[in-house]
Amino acid sequence: HSGYGVSYLEEIARYTQWKYEYVFYFLENCMKRLANGELDITIMTHQLSDRRGVFLFSNIPMGYDYPVLYAPANSDIYYQDYKAFDGARIGVSAETSFQETLSIYLQELDLNCQIITFPADKDAKAALLQGNIDMMVSSVFTPQKDVKVVDRFSVAPGYITTNLKSHKLMEEINNAMQKIRIHHPD
């Protein structure tokens, strides 16, 4: 296993002496398993209003997601061309929590768009490339030949999250994250 989340958890393990068993589920499934105690922690979880009081969140974000709005590379929609955005069908993955931030973004711009939720980014991207939607939101910001960036909005801090009953576990996470911040501020 590799990536930012794994590296961050391994750094926490340097302070806690923990060993992890990594499992991968869609976000909704993770949150259900976390709530009923089948998982101990999730990472890069966004603190949405319906999750407060249901889960414990780390005091410090472990990172940030930056929602990016994509259109097909050959689209007539260009960067911050809000007139062209109006009325668009926008895909968003259920794996993320960008539905809420996307709604706020569209309201702020007074845009009337249809938000369509897909199980995963890959499903939204497939629909985008097939012409079933006009744009999609993702936090994946790497240059891609088949899509282009048409806007960026919001910043979504991602937290380590535990079951509401796991106060001691969260205390250990918070202590380790504080030490990481002190010793590795970058």
Side-chain angles (χ1 to χ4, degrees):
H1 304 288
S2 64
Y4 177 76
V6 171
S7 296
Y8 204 101
L9 288 173
E10 293 302 324
E11 190 63 25
I12 287 175
R14 289 184 59 216
Y15 296 99
T16 60
Q17 307 306 308
W18 291 344
K19 292 189 187 320
Y20 302 104
E21 177 187 342
Y22 294 99
V23 294
F24 298 92
Y25 300 107
F26 286 121
L27 182 63
E28 185 178 317
N29 198 347
C30 280
M31 301 315 287
K32 285 180 186 172
R33 289 172 183 264
L34 186 65
N36 70 25
E38 290 178 59
L39 293 178
D40 296 312
I41 62 175
T42 61
I43 59 170
M44 285 303 291
T45 306
H46 300 157
Q47 221 183 99
L48 300 177
S49 55
D50 63 338
R51 294 180 183 160
R52 290 185 196 105
V54 179
F55 300 103
L56 297 175
F57 296 90
S58 57
N59 291 338
I60 302 169
M62 67 173 285
Y64 298 88
D65 278 330
Y66 300 89
V68 179
L69 193 59
Y70 289 101
N74 61 356
S75 171
D76 289 339
I77 300 172
Y78 296 97
Y79 193 77
Q80 294 186 342
D81 182 6
Y82 301 125
K83 193 174 184 177
F85 291 9
D86 202 26
R89 299 163 297 167
I90 302 174
V92 63
S93 168
E95 293 178 319
T96 69
S97 54
F98 295 143
Q99 295 89 338
E100 190 173 311
T101 55
L102 177 61
S103 292
I104 293 166
Y105 162 80
L106 294 172
Q107 283 176 340
E108 288 173 353
L109 292 171
D110 196 28
L111 296 174
N112 184 21
C113 296
Q114 181 184 2
I115 300 173
I116 302 167
T117 305
F118 291 88
D121 265 0
K122 65 181 176 63
D123 302 309
K125 187 171 182 184
L128 181 70
L129 297 177
Q130 292 167 2
N132 297 329
I133 57 175
D134 305 299
M135 295 184 283
M136 71 171 279
V137 176
S138 177
S139 64
V140 178
F141 187 66
T142 54
Q144 300 176 49
K145 293 179 183 176
D146 48 2
V147 294
K148 62 184 175 184
V149 174
V150 293
D151 207 1
R152 298 176 202 160
F153 60 94
S154 188
V155 175
Y159 298 89
I160 296 178
T161 310
T162 66
N163 182 295
L164 194 58
K165 298 174 185 171
S166 302
H167 291 279
K168 183 167 175 24
L169 179 62
M170 184 53 76
E171 185 179 324
E172 291 182 61
I173 291 167
N174 284 328
N175 289 336
M177 290 177 79
Q178 185 68 31
K179 290 174 184 172
I180 292 168
R181 270 280 171 88
I182 292 168
H183 298 281
H184 305 287
D186 56 339

